[in-house]
Amino acid sequence: QVQLVESGGGLVQPGGSLRLSCAASGSGFSINAMGWYRQGPGKQRELVADITIGGTTDYADSVKGRFTISRDNTKNTVYLQMNSLKPEDTAVYYCYFDYYNHYGGTIVDAWGQGTLVTVSS
């Protein structure tokens, strides 16, 4: 069983920065990939960024050049550095880990409960 704990959300002015963190705890799992989704008001949940255990990254076009995803494999933690924030970045951000469950022999996704990022002046 894998559990995720998110932190770092809050209120920030346009042009500001925030750093989100998400740490996984548990046992009997091997991470395949991790990343971040977000869901803004009245919008569909969308992929923001993800990263494989080997370091390959992918970003939504809307955040390229502004957001950076990184991970610390030894800590089972994924980060999202968000710079030059815009009002349209306002959303609940959800981290996820895609992992192999050694107990069940299956591939499973674990999700955080979400952290709210509000970009407003």
Side-chain angles (χ1 to χ4, degrees):
Q1 196 79 16
V2 174
Q3 298 174 346
L4 307 183
V5 179
E6 301 182 29
S7 63
L11 175 64
V12 65
Q13 294 184 343
S17 298
L18 285 174
R19 189 193 191 203
L20 307 183
S21 299
C22 180
S25 63
S27 62
F29 68 94
S30 298
I31 298 171
N32 298 318
M34 61 208 80
W36 299 88
Y37 280 75
R38 69 184 181 187
Q39 188 166 21
K43 297 181 179 180
Q44 188 84 351
R45 182 179 294 191
E46 64 176 350
L47 176 68
V48 178
D50 63 13
I51 185 169
T52 69
I53 196 67
T56 301
T57 59
D58 188 35
Y59 295 92
D61 288 341
S62 60
V63 307
K64 286 182 178 178
R66 299 188 298 119
F67 291 11
T68 303
I69 188 170
S70 61
R71 83 278 185 268
D72 186 336
N73 291 338
T74 64
K75 298 180 179 179
N76 292 327
T77 300
V78 62
Y79 307 93
L80 187 67
Q81 179 66 46
M82 304 183 293
N83 299 326
S84 302
L85 283 162
K86 304 174 181 180
E88 50 263 44
D89 295 318
T90 296
V92 177
Y93 285 71
Y94 300 89
C95 65
Y96 77 90
F97 278 55
D98 182 77
Y99 65 95
Y100 178 76
N101 184 350
H102 295 164
Y103 296 127
T106 57
I107 298 174
V108 183
D109 285 341
W111 292 84
Q113 293 187 358
T115 184
L116 177 62
V117 173
T118 302
V119 185
S120 177
S121 60

